[in-house]
Amino acid sequence: MKMNRTPTIKNEPGMIALATLILVAAVANLNLSVANVALPSIGLVFNASQVQINLVAIGYSLGLAASVLWFGALGDHHGRKMMLILGTLLAIPSSIIAGFAPSIEILILARIIGGLAAGMAFPTTLAIITALWSGQKRTRAIALWSGIGAAIAALGPIISGYMLSFNDWGSVFLITLPLAVVALLMSLKFIPNHVSETTAPVDNLGGLLSLLLLGTLTLAINFAPVPDSEILIISFLVIAALSGILFIRRQRRVENPLYDLKVASRSIFWVAACAGIIVFGALMGAMYIGQQFLQNVLSYSTLDAGLAILPAALFMILVAPQSARLIESRGAGFTLLAGYLFCLLGFLTMLFLWQDHIPYWKVGLAYAFVGIGVGLAGTPASHSLTGSVPVERVGMASGTADLQRDFGGAIMTSIFGALLTAGYARSIASQIDNLPAYAQQQITSTVETTLQKSFSSAATLAQQHPQYSAQIISAAKYSFLAGDQWAYLAGIVAILIGAALVFFKFPKKEEEEKLLAQYHETDKEEDEIHGDLRDDEVPAELASRQKVHEIIQKVRKGNNDINDES
């Protein structure tokens, strides 16, 4: 197996390079979250179903999650800076299309394209950080990247809420345009042209299979609550299952796998990957449900709803540096568990305290808990992945780190959205069944379908029938609260499963250090073997190049004996 690599940068770069990478990641992080505040407005404008609203919310995560592994490997081979620039560049037209989308379908498509753009740029940022920094500097760089990135994602709704106070829904998708332009220019100037890339061929078939697996699985979850969609859901699940089986078989057989299952089987790697999926998914799911709760149930304005999550952003920024120190003193496993504890407190607060007419402190308390939890757990989740792989596999590790955020966000948001949709529709149906017979006769099947569609559809119906507006909104609020309880319970169960996985399977600090040392020695030995192979190949390669050079020179001189020389 040939693993020729371009030379690694020996001198660690300054803060300007790290700032550039964080800014590139900020474009992806903001685009990930700006839609949440606008979802109720989008639902009203397009008269969208709850499933369509869910797809707008997760479309970006869907595109990103489905592509990060493949695009990360392409960056490892063809150039990480090139992928960084391509992704940032593509983010510009995708944002413009989303901002001026004439239909909900075009908006969903634009969100998916934007996610694919982020799939090029976002995993590359962590791969470059891992390749350029080492030791404690790498840990702190990842802590800044993780904490600031998560905080920027949390700030997205605040910025969106401000924009929506004097612009229409499309303005939220244009927020990142100036950032993308600045990030593009800084990437061209401050990021090295080559950062530990490999010349090993890319497993493009494996990339396509991973895209099908992750994409169809996410879509199946989103369409689960849709009536009469059993065939579509089964089709998605069959494609996901077949893609998964074929992907695993190919990764075991191909010489240069897209996803090295041998490396992925390392306990530090796979446990951290699963833990990160849950913790980042919890953050995105909480933001998704929370924004609709604040606007639909508490009747917050878009600006107030965006400002309401400020505690999450602040605590993520404040806690991230402490997370890096805690990793060094107590280990990644302890830090992950501490983060899980605070995430659990956040979801328990939502489950028991988030009701109609509550004061803001109950909202802020839940977001503060989640912010502390993600601030603590985000750094070890990413650090453990990148620290347990050889340098030529940092693209795989960074792709997995991004998969934590994006697949975790897409899956948890999809599950939360499906449960919210199912719980909401069931509650509306139950309320109608409990009405007196004469009242039920006045509700047509069309009206009942509209009421069950989404809170936005119920609000539109209330505007069309002002004499029943209070009753319709009251029923919709009650049903939303019934649905979101299911979502919070799902979040609690997921967090408990993740905490148990970390507690029982993630090594303690001393064992973690020993395992990391073993991984390093194993990877070093394999790298030396590949280096010996490369040394053996160099003379033949140089001789071949010299022969070609001699022939070209004779062609230029008009030598007629070129055929003999060939």
Side-chain angles (χ1 to χ4, degrees):
M1 181 173 65
K2 298 180 182 180
M3 296 292 292
N4 298 332
R5 288 176 289 160
T6 54
T8 305
I9 304 299
K10 298 298 182 183
N11 296 322
E12 294 180 347
M15 289 300 294
I16 187 67
L18 180 59
T20 301
L21 295 170
I22 291 175
L23 186 59
V24 172
V27 175
N29 281 313
L30 268 180
N31 274 322
L32 190 65
S33 62
V34 290
N36 287 331
V37 174
L39 291 177
S41 301
I42 292 169
L44 286 172
V45 169
F46 293 114
N47 191 25
S49 68
Q50 186 64 48
V51 172
Q52 289 174 322
I53 293 172
N54 294 348
L55 288 173
V56 172
I58 66 102
Y60 193 86
S61 296
L62 174 62
L64 212 171
S67 63
V68 287
L69 295 180
W70 191 5
F71 291 168
L74 289 172
D76 285 350
H77 178 80
H78 295 291
R80 291 173 177 142
K81 180 174 182 176
M82 182 194 71
M83 292 298 288
L84 201 73
I85 292 169
L86 285 177
T88 308
L89 193 61
L90 184 58
I92 296 172
S94 66
S95 296
I96 294 173
I97 294 171
F100 296 100
S103 67
I104 191 74
E105 292 79 12
I106 296 296
L107 176 56
I108 293 170
L109 179 61
R111 292 284 288 166
I112 294 173
I113 294 172
L116 293 173
M120 297 178 187
F122 195 44
T124 310
T125 58
L126 184 57
I128 293 176
I129 288 174
T130 305
L132 293 183
W133 283 273
S134 59
Q136 292 185 358
K137 290 184 179 180
R138 177 193 290 176
T139 304
R140 290 166 187 164
I142 292 175
L144 286 171
W145 175 87
S146 176
I148 295 175
I152 288 172
L155 286 171
I158 300 175
I159 302 170
S160 298
Y162 174 73
M163 295 293 292
L164 288 170
S165 64
F166 56 87
N167 283 307
D168 64 14
W169 61 269
S171 62
V172 303
F173 300 108
L174 306 178
I175 292 171
T176 57
L177 288 180
L179 276 181
V181 173
V182 174
L184 183 63
L185 295 175
M186 290 182 68
S187 297
L188 288 167
K189 183 174 179 62
F190 298 116
I191 302 301
N193 289 327
H194 296 287
V195 189
S196 298
E197 286 91 357
T198 174
T199 57
V202 178
D203 179 19
N204 290 308
L205 178 57
L208 180 60
L209 290 171
S210 71
L211 190 148
L212 286 173
L213 166 62
L214 298 170
T216 53
L217 179 60
T218 305
L219 289 172
I221 295 172
N222 274 273
F223 280 95
V226 180
D228 304 320
S229 60
E230 290 82 2
I231 295 177
L232 181 63
I233 296 169
I234 292 172
S235 299
F236 281 140
L237 290 175
V238 169
I239 294 173
L242 289 175
S243 300
I245 293 170
L246 292 173
F247 178 76
I248 292 173
R249 289 185 62 186
R250 178 164 180 82
Q251 299 316 293
R252 286 176 174 173
R253 296 179 179 181
V254 71
E255 184 179 1
N256 295 292
L258 177 76
Y259 204 76
D260 192 330
L261 297 179
K262 182 180 178 182
V263 172
S265 66
R266 295 173 174 178
S267 58
I268 292 178
F269 187 95
W270 73 265
V271 176
C274 294
I277 285 173
I278 293 174
V279 76
F280 287 118
L283 170 66
M284 302 309 296
M287 291 172 63
Y288 167 70
I289 297 291
Q291 285 302 308
Q292 295 182 73
F293 166 76
L294 293 173
Q295 294 184 55
N296 293 342
V297 178
L298 298 186
S299 302
Y300 278 29
S301 68
T302 55
L303 179 58
D304 289 340
L307 290 171
I309 68 165
L310 191 59
L314 288 175
F315 278 105
M316 275 188 278
I317 293 174
L318 292 173
V319 169
Q322 308 307 317
S323 175
R325 297 188 183 96
L326 202 56
I327 291 171
E328 294 170 6
S329 61
R330 302 296 298 273
F334 178 88
T335 311
L336 277 169
L337 286 174
Y340 267 100
L341 174 62
F342 281 97
C343 286
L344 178 62
L345 291 174
F347 274 85
L348 288 172
T349 303
M350 296 176 203
L351 179 65
F352 292 111
L353 298 185
W354 280 20
Q355 299 295 330
D356 198 4
H357 307 298
I358 61 171
Y360 170 72
W361 72 264
K362 295 182 179 181
V363 175
L365 180 64
Y367 279 127
F369 281 143
V370 173
I372 294 172
V374 176
L376 284 172
T379 300
S382 300
H383 176 269
S384 296
L385 292 174
T386 56
S388 59
V389 301
V391 67
E392 57 267 13
R393 287 294 180 189
V394 292
M396 167 186 158
S398 61
T400 305
D402 296 326
L403 200 62
Q404 291 179 139
R405 294 168 179 262
D406 309 308
F407 185 62
I411 288 295
M412 293 286 275
T413 300
S414 298
I415 292 172
F416 284 14
L419 291 171
L420 172 63
T421 302
Y424 174 86
R426 181 178 179 180
S427 179
I428 287 288
S430 176
Q431 290 183 68
I432 292 174
D433 290 342
N434 291 331
L435 291 173
Y438 73 89
Q440 291 186 36
Q441 293 173 359
Q442 297 179 12
I443 301 175
T444 66
S445 59
T446 302
V447 169
E448 183 174 358
T449 300
T450 302
L451 286 171
Q452 291 181 319
K453 192 176 179 181
S454 67
F455 187 98
S456 298
S457 296
T460 301
L461 191 66
Q463 293 176 355
Q464 296 170 353
H465 302 278
Q467 68 274 29
Y468 302 113
S469 177
Q471 295 94 321
I472 293 173
I473 294 299
S474 177
K477 284 186 176 182
Y478 179 86
S479 297
F480 186 94
L481 289 170
D484 71 5
Q485 294 287 298
W486 292 17
Y488 302 145
L489 282 171
I492 290 170
V493 170
I495 289 169
L496 289 175
I497 292 173
L501 183 65
V502 173
F503 183 80
F504 290 108
K505 294 296 183 180
F506 198 92
K508 302 299 184 286
K509 186 175 185 296
E510 294 76 13
E511 186 183 355
E512 178 189 1
E513 292 174 348
K514 290 180 181 178
L515 282 174
L516 289 174
Q518 290 176 12
Y519 298 157
H520 178 73
E521 287 300 318
T522 301
D523 297 334
K524 185 178 179 181
E525 289 173 2
E526 291 184 359
D527 190 59
E528 288 174 351
I529 292 172
H530 297 147
D532 292 340
L533 291 175
R534 288 193 298 271
D535 292 341
D536 292 340
E537 293 165 357
V538 167
E541 182 181 355
L542 289 176
S544 176
R545 289 182 179 179
Q546 182 65 29
K547 185 67 176 177
V548 171
H549 178 73
E550 291 174 1
I551 293 174
I552 291 173
Q553 292 301 316
K554 291 185 178 182
V555 169
R556 289 176 176 174
K557 294 177 181 179
N559 194 311
N560 294 325
D561 294 328
I562 185 171
N563 292 328
D564 295 334
E565 292 292 337
S566 300

